[in-house]
């Protein structure tokens, strides 16, 4: 009952309340990033949601658009601004996704919405992460976030899908607050962001 009905209500109420409370902070960061990112404070990208339905996720823009001589974007670590690094470290870049939750594209808790290009790369078990709405935070995020392997991340995502409950969601929210406070698992090894998923390659 919670998974199919009450979870969406719970997510909507908490997201709307959080959006109202955090609106002054949202406005301040929006104005700050508008100034440092040439009038572009937000990052929009298509992501797959529940049942692989495509939606547009919104986050604060933490990287600039610098390119090399061939017109290709520079590596993430080179484009991550000093302000963006702080915003990402404190997870403030995720706050605009409350709008996605209010719209119903996402939930507060669930597997993180990844790139559309990953859809054909999942195996039959991994694709089950799309049986529920993606979340701002999730079981994988409080168990390593970008510091764990793709395989571990997908296993945690599917485990969450099979064990959704109100108690479990509250537990993840509490652990997320603790992780954000400690700034744990933001980076993957020496990389600024998680390296791309390349599929289930056999060694």
């Amino acid at each position: 009952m919670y998974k199919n009905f009450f979870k969406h209500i719970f997510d909507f109420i908490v997201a709307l309340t959080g959006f109202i409370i955090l609106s002054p902070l949202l406005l301040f960061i929006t104005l700050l990033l508008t100034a440092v990112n040439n009038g572009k404070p937000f990052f929009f990208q298509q992501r797959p949601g529940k049942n692989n339905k495509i939606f547009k996720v919104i986050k604060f823009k933490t990287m600039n658009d610098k390119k090399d001589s061939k017109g290709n974007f520079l590596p993430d670590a080179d484009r991550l601004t000093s302000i963006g690094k702080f915003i990402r470290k404190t997870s403030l870049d995720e706050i605009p996704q409350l709008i996605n939750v209010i719209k119903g594209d996402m939930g507060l808790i669930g597997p993180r919405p990844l790139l559309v290009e990953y859809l054909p790369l999942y195996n039959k078990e991994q694709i089950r992460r799309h049986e529920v709405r993606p979340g701002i935070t999730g079981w994988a995020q409080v168990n390593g976030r970008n510091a764990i392997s793709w395989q571990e991340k997908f296993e945690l995502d599917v485990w969450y899908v099979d064990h959704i409950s109100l108690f479990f969601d509250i537990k993840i929210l509490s652990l997320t607050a603790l992780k954000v406070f400690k700034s744990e698992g933001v980076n993957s090894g020496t990389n600024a962001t998680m390296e791309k998923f390349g599929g289930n390659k056999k060694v």
Side-chain angles (χ1 to χ4, degrees):
M1 180 67 75
Y2 173 74
K3 178 179 180 179
N4 297 320
F5 182 70
F6 289 110
K7 176 174 170 55
H8 183 49
I9 297 176
F10 172 77
D11 287 343
F12 176 82
I13 293 174
V14 175
L16 182 60
T17 302
F19 184 81
I20 294 172
I21 294 174
L22 295 172
S23 56
L25 178 61
L26 278 164
L27 179 60
F28 173 75
I29 297 176
T30 298
L31 293 174
L32 179 64
L33 291 180
T34 296
V36 301
N37 288 338
N38 298 317
K40 299 178 180 179
F42 299 110
F43 169 79
F44 299 93
Q45 190 175 55
Q46 288 191 327
R47 300 286 176 92
K50 183 178 180 181
N51 299 322
N52 302 337
K53 181 180 179 181
I54 307 301
F55 70 98
K56 189 170 290 186
V57 71
I58 176 174
K59 300 174 68 174
F60 278 126
K61 189 176 176 66
T62 57
M63 294 188 288
N64 59 42
D65 296 323
K66 291 183 178 179
K67 299 179 180 180
D68 59 23
S69 58
K70 297 180 180 179
N72 299 313
F73 283 117
L74 294 176
D76 290 350
D78 295 333
R79 296 192 295 119
L80 187 62
T81 64
S82 55
I83 293 176
K85 187 179 295 184
F86 172 78
I87 290 176
R88 181 172 292 190
K89 182 179 181 181
T90 54
S91 294
L92 293 173
D93 59 317
E94 310 285 359
I95 295 178
Q97 289 172 82
L98 290 172
I99 297 173
N100 288 120
V101 178
I102 293 170
K103 290 173 58 182
D105 297 324
M106 295 175 61
L108 286 175
I109 304 95
R112 286 293 296 151
L114 301 176
L115 300 178
V116 175
E117 65 191 72
Y118 293 170
L119 285 176
L121 302 179
Y122 298 131
N123 60 33
K124 290 183 179 180
E125 186 68 9
Q126 293 167 347
I127 197 67
R128 294 192 57 229
R129 68 192 306 280
H130 291 285
E131 291 179 5
V132 299
R133 288 184 179 87
I136 295 178
T137 186
W139 190 225
Q141 277 58 54
V142 298
N143 281 283
R145 198 174 175 180
N146 287 342
I148 59 176
S149 69
W150 281 113
Q151 182 62 33
E152 292 172 305
K153 185 176 295 188
F154 294 145
E155 288 175 356
L156 290 167
D157 286 343
V158 175
W159 199 91
Y160 171 78
V161 171
D162 291 333
H163 296 83
I164 292 177
S165 71
L166 176 59
F167 174 78
F168 194 20
D169 277 359
I170 293 175
K171 176 181 178 180
I172 292 173
L173 282 176
S174 300
L175 290 172
T176 297
L178 182 61
K179 290 284 184 179
V180 170
F181 179 75
K182 293 182 177 180
S183 298
E184 292 181 351
V186 177
N187 296 331
S188 173
T190 58
N191 297 324
T193 57
M194 186 78 176
E195 46 285 308
K196 283 191 173 185
F197 176 53
N200 297 281
K201 300 176 181 178
K202 293 183 180 180
V203 180

